[in-house]
Amino acid sequence: MPEGHSIHRVAKALTLAFAEPKEPHGKVAPVHASSPQGRFAAGATLMDGQRLAPAHAWGKHLFVPFEEDQRYLHVHLGLYGSWTFQADPRQAAKLPPVIGAPRVTVGEDQRTTGTAGDPASSSPKADPNAHEESWQWPEPKGQVRLRLANDYLLADLSGPTKCQILDPEGRQAIINRLGPDPLRNEPGDEDRFVKLVRAKKSPIGQLVMDQSVVAGPGNIYRAECLFRTGINPWRPGQKVSEKRLRQLWKDLVAGLADGFDMGLIYTRLPELELLEQAEPTRLVGQEVPEREERFYVYQRDGQACLKCGTTVKMEVMQARKLFYCPGCQR
DNA sequence: GATACATGAAAAG
DNA sequence: TTTTCCTGTATCC
């Protein structure tokens, strides 16, 4: 259950795990690919033995290029797909930090094996002869569509809505129908976002989740960013002022970047006054509270708005639950 | 054991 | 607008 920030993190994790040489001056080791579940058997065969190049994401789409072949693995997690990373507990010293972090996050679902919660203690000193024998990869748990593995790390993919091998044209066709990605934030993206929104009369709450308008945000960011910028989700795109849309773009940039850095969505600023600042405040570095205290409006329907006290509303928009404060968002 | 639900998107009607 | 697809977890009998 991932929004764009999770996919960018997975791209980074896959790159660190499978697209960077493990020894100085070494080559990238070929990846072992398989489909324990069987539903991606043909694709896994194509991938098995390939050297992988650095992965990248555009919105919620993940692309993993093959180094010596002009093709890509393309994955979209859909509503409940996930990646699970595991590491050889004896090789902790070689693990890239993004993998070693002791956390389990829905959607990317990273976890470490070995000493729970403390990767640093989990082993360089373990068994001096350990490296003599290769790591026994653990049995896949549940429905694993694709398993990627090398001598140190393993990534299991389950439940994706899309998992396929694409040629460059196939990849480009997907990117062509995506809007700007706030995590890429390239020159001109803000203008493109503003123009796309202002050309439509559908409600802004719908447009923020429309991947051809902006690629990355999902249901949580939609609710939270519209609250943070004080925009009513039912307001037609055309009728949102350019000023507010520029504010909204910048808020999405900051919000998704925070999600990327923290590995979870945390959007509720420590002080309400920070909401009024010209530039959005970044939350990375802050201590992360319990889930119930991370959001302003998401799943807070029936409770009092933290800013104005009005009861937070839940309505259904495009078959998804929409949360907002009718008092603050007009 | 059911059943409901989830951070999504495309196809079908 | 409704249905369909993909899976794991929580909650309720």
Side-chain angles (χ1 to χ4, degrees):
Chain A
M1 287 102 66
E3 303 194 22
H5 68 290
S6 299
I7 312 308
H8 282 262
R9 277 178 71 91
V10 167
K12 183 173 181 181
L14 289 173
T15 298
L16 292 170
F18 302 116
E20 291 186 347
K22 288 292 175 282
E23 310 295 337
H25 313 300
K27 279 187 86 173
V28 173
V31 72
H32 297 271
S34 60
S35 179
Q37 173 200 56
R39 294 188 53 173
F40 190 54
T45 302
L46 280 174
M47 232 183 142
D48 192 39
Q50 296 278 350
R51 298 179 198 281
L52 302 185
H56 53 271
W58 191 302
K60 298 167 187 166
H61 294 259
L62 171 75
F63 301 96
V64 187
F66 303 167
E67 205 169 78
E68 297 144 356
D69 185 345
Q70 286 285 71
R71 281 187 289 188
Y72 302 79
L73 170 70
H74 168 236
V75 174
H76 192 297
L77 292 179
L79 191 53
Y80 45 71
S82 72
W83 284 96
T84 301
F85 290 88
Q86 290 182 261
D88 181 344
R90 300 164 309 178
Q91 300 285 350
K94 296 188 178 184
L95 304 188
V98 70
I99 305 273
R103 67 157 60 88
V104 173
T105 304
V106 177
E108 47 188 312
D109 199 8
Q110 302 187 358
R111 57 182 76 151
T112 54
T113 57
T115 314
D118 188 2
S121 75
S122 68
S123 157
K125 52 188 190 290
D127 177 355
N129 297 318
H131 66 277
E132 299 293 342
E133 40 191 279
S134 66
W135 176 35
Q136 296 292 303
W137 295 321
E139 283 298 305
K141 186 170 145 262
Q143 297 290 93
V144 175
R145 182 81 57 89
L146 170 65
R147 165 168 281 190
L148 300 176
N150 61 20
D151 289 345
Y152 312 100
L153 292 150
L154 166 163
D156 281 343
L157 167 67
S158 76
T161 195
K162 211 71 176 172
C163 175
Q164 58 186 343
I165 306 293
L166 291 180
D167 57 20
E169 293 70 36
R171 170 182 171 280
Q172 196 55 49
I174 286 170
I175 288 174
N176 287 347
R177 54 183 169 76
L178 293 174
D181 178 348
L183 276 174
R184 306 182 80 93
N185 199 21
E186 288 159 5
D189 279 357
E190 181 178 316
D191 289 340
R192 192 178 159 210
F193 170 71
V194 170
K195 188 168 281 183
L196 282 167
V197 171
R198 301 218 71 188
K200 298 180 194 270
K201 47 180 188 272
S202 29
I204 183 69
Q206 193 176 312
L207 296 173
V208 172
M209 289 242 293
D210 181 339
Q211 303 297 300
S212 71
V213 171
V214 49
N219 205 25
I220 299 181
Y221 277 117
R222 147 170 88 177
E224 294 294 297
C225 289
L226 290 175
F227 176 87
R228 298 209 301 192
T229 47
I231 302 169
N232 187 296
W234 294 99
R235 180 175 287 267
Q238 292 180 325
K239 297 203 167 179
V240 184
S241 73
E242 180 173 333
K243 184 183 171 191
R244 279 216 180 283
L245 287 179
R246 296 195 178 280
Q247 226 180 311
L248 178 57
W249 173 262
K250 292 186 179 79
D251 197 74
L252 286 165
V253 169
L256 285 160
D258 272 341
F260 176 83
D261 290 336
M262 296 187 281
L264 47 76
I265 306 180
Y266 172 31
T267 51
R268 195 201 287 188
L269 302 169
E271 313 286 343
L272 280 172
E273 303 80 67
L274 295 175
L275 275 172
E276 311 303 332
Q277 307 220 331
E279 292 294 317
T281 308
R282 293 289 309 272
L283 272 166
V284 62
Q286 298 277 332
E287 192 178 331
V288 180
E290 291 304 298
R291 187 183 163 89
E292 312 81 65
E293 292 176 17
R294 289 183 205 154
F295 311 126
Y296 286 107
V297 290
Y298 181 72
Q299 289 183 338
R300 289 198 69 249
D301 50 313
Q303 303 180 50
C305 170
L306 297 156
K307 193 175 162 192
C308 76
T310 303
T311 303
V312 174
K313 249 188 171 179
M314 192 278 279
E315 289 167 12
V316 173
M317 179 187 273
Q318 299 291 282
R320 305 301 300 278
K321 288 183 175 177
L322 166 73
F323 303 87
Y324 70 104
C325 169
C328 297
Q329 300 173 257
R330 298 183 169 282

